[in-house]
Amino acid sequence: MINIALQGAEFFAYHGFYPEEQKIGCRFLVDIAVGFEPPTDLKDGLHNTVDYEQLYIIACEEMKHSRKLIETVGQSITTRIRDKYPFIKTIQVTIKKLNPPLTGKVAYSSVTINYPPEK
C-alpha cells in the first residue's frame, strides 16, 4: 500500500453555522491522506499514482464554497477525490477550524471523514 498525504494546507474560508461566521471568516487547516495499491509496473510518472497537487486543488476549490458545517466540506472533498482517483482504497480528510468563536480559548475544532467509513 502506498500512502500519500497533504498536511496543514491553510485556507481562509467562510464556513460556520452562524451568520457571523460566514460573514467574518476563519482560518482552517486541511489534512488529506490517501492509500492505494500501486500497479506492479509503477513508472516514474504521475499516471499511476495520486498527484498531491491535485489533492490541494480539490481542497482549495471546496474551501471556497461557504457551508454551515465543516463536515459537509470534508465530505465534498472526499467525494471529489474518490471520483478523480477511483483506484484509491482509503481516504482520510481532517479539517481544523482554528480559534473557533467560543467563549473560551480553543486552539481548533475539527472533523475527520474516513473512506471507507469505519465500522
Side-chain angles (χ1 to χ4, degrees):
M1 176 85 73
I2 291 180
N3 294 301
I4 294 178
L6 188 65
Q7 299 291 317
E10 189 169 338
F11 301 95
F12 190 87
Y14 298 89
H15 308 301
F17 185 76
Y18 299 104
E20 333 48 271
E21 293 177 287
Q22 292 190 4
K23 191 177 193 180
I24 62 172
C26 187
R27 287 179 34 239
F28 294 84
L29 295 179
V30 177
D31 301 331
I32 301 171
V34 300
F36 64 96
E37 293 294 336
T40 54
D41 64 338
L42 183 64
K43 306 286 186 210
D44 196 22
L46 293 176
H47 61 282
N48 286 328
T49 190
V50 176
D51 181 354
Y52 59 80
E53 181 180 17
Q54 291 301 310
L55 298 179
Y56 178 82
I57 289 169
I58 289 169
C60 187
E61 289 172 351
E62 291 302 321
M63 291 299 288
K64 289 179 183 176
H65 299 290
S66 180
R67 295 186 178 98
K68 290 183 179 180
L69 301 176
I70 57 177
E71 293 90 325
T72 308
V73 182
Q75 189 61 56
S76 294
I77 292 170
T78 302
T79 299
R80 287 201 44 204
I81 292 170
R82 266 192 3 241
D83 290 348
K84 183 162 186 69
Y85 298 103
F87 57 87
I88 287 178
K89 302 289 185 206
T90 63
I91 304 170
Q92 184 175 70
V93 174
T94 299
I95 301 176
K96 298 175 184 172
K97 184 175 195 171
L98 304 179
N99 303 308
L102 300 171
T103 57
K105 183 171 172 64
V106 176
Y108 62 86
S109 59
S110 70
V111 63
T112 298
I113 307 292
N114 289 297
Y115 171 82
E118 295 177 351
K119 295 180 181 181

